[in-house]
Amino acid sequence: MHKIFANTLFIGKQVISLPSCHSTNDLMAQMSAKNQLHEGAIIITDHQTKGKGQRGNTWNSPQGENLTFSVYFKPKFLKPSQQFELNRMVSLALLDVLKRLVPNANLFVKWPNDLIVNKKKIAGILIENSINQNSISESIAGIGLNVNQRDNLLSTATSLASHTQRTWDLNQLLLEVAQRIEHYYLILRGGDFRLIHELYEANLYLKDKVAFYEDSVSKFNGIIRKVHPDGILEIEDDSGIFKKYQFKEVRLLSNH
Ligand code: BTN
């Protein structure tokens, strides 16, 4: 059972904690449509039965072992073209928490918003926004963080417990993540996008490194050069051409 958070300003003042739920993102959207949520609300479940991932994938997590939750925002200060700021800020929040807990690991954010520890994915983020005229009226940030799971992890995935050989308190971890999300959200709300951009880029996986990618045309060796303010990824291919990609338009095949 998760209590409301005492030491945050607005995140986690409303916590809906469910033993089981299809998808915390979907439930959050349903509750929002009924005006049942305050900004900063969290929906968390021990057992997500139909978790959604990026690119229409599913997100599977064994009951009670990991964190699967969503946070509700009303980021009206952001224009639709600034949606990617939300991906950046949630990624950085998770990164900070992981850096503290696994200080000796190689930790990165893989574009657009996967958290990578020693080349394996430890957390995924699914952000679903609603646009109203010229602003983002609401945003649902869904987070799946692999915490105590040790068995049946995909070969490309890992968890905190696998790295640290210990079990973690999910309540405490949720609180820490929420505090860091609030920290970065307030920076965004204060308009300091530059700081957020710099931190994101400084922690970007495979930036300035050769890796093997696939787009709709071909497979190629390329080097990530930058992420544009609107979230577009720029990769320089091996013939020196700079290619720009939206979400889902390019995939990392291998990092050699
Ligand atoms: C990814 O594919 O990397 C994104 C995974 C996001 C999973 C989380 S778990 C909580 C929230 N509810 C969902 O249905 N999905 C997100």
Side-chain angles (χ1 to χ4, degrees), residues 182-205:
E182 182 168 277
H183 169 78
Y184 284 113
Y185 188 74
L186 292 176
I187 291 177
L188 268 190
R189 213 165 66 179
D192 195 354
F193 296 178
R194 181 194 282 220
L195 174 66
I196 303 276
H197 290 190
E198 282 172 4
L199 288 172
Y200 180 86
E201 205 109 339
N203 290 284
L204 188 60
Y205 189 49

Side-chain angles (χ1 to χ4, degrees), residues 23-25 48 51-54 59 69 114 121 124-125 142-144:
S23 153
T24 56
N25 269 34
Q48 190 170 240
K52 299 192 299 180
Q54 292 169 44
W59 183 263
F69 67 101
D114 288 346
K121 177 161 166 171
I125 301 167
I143 295 165

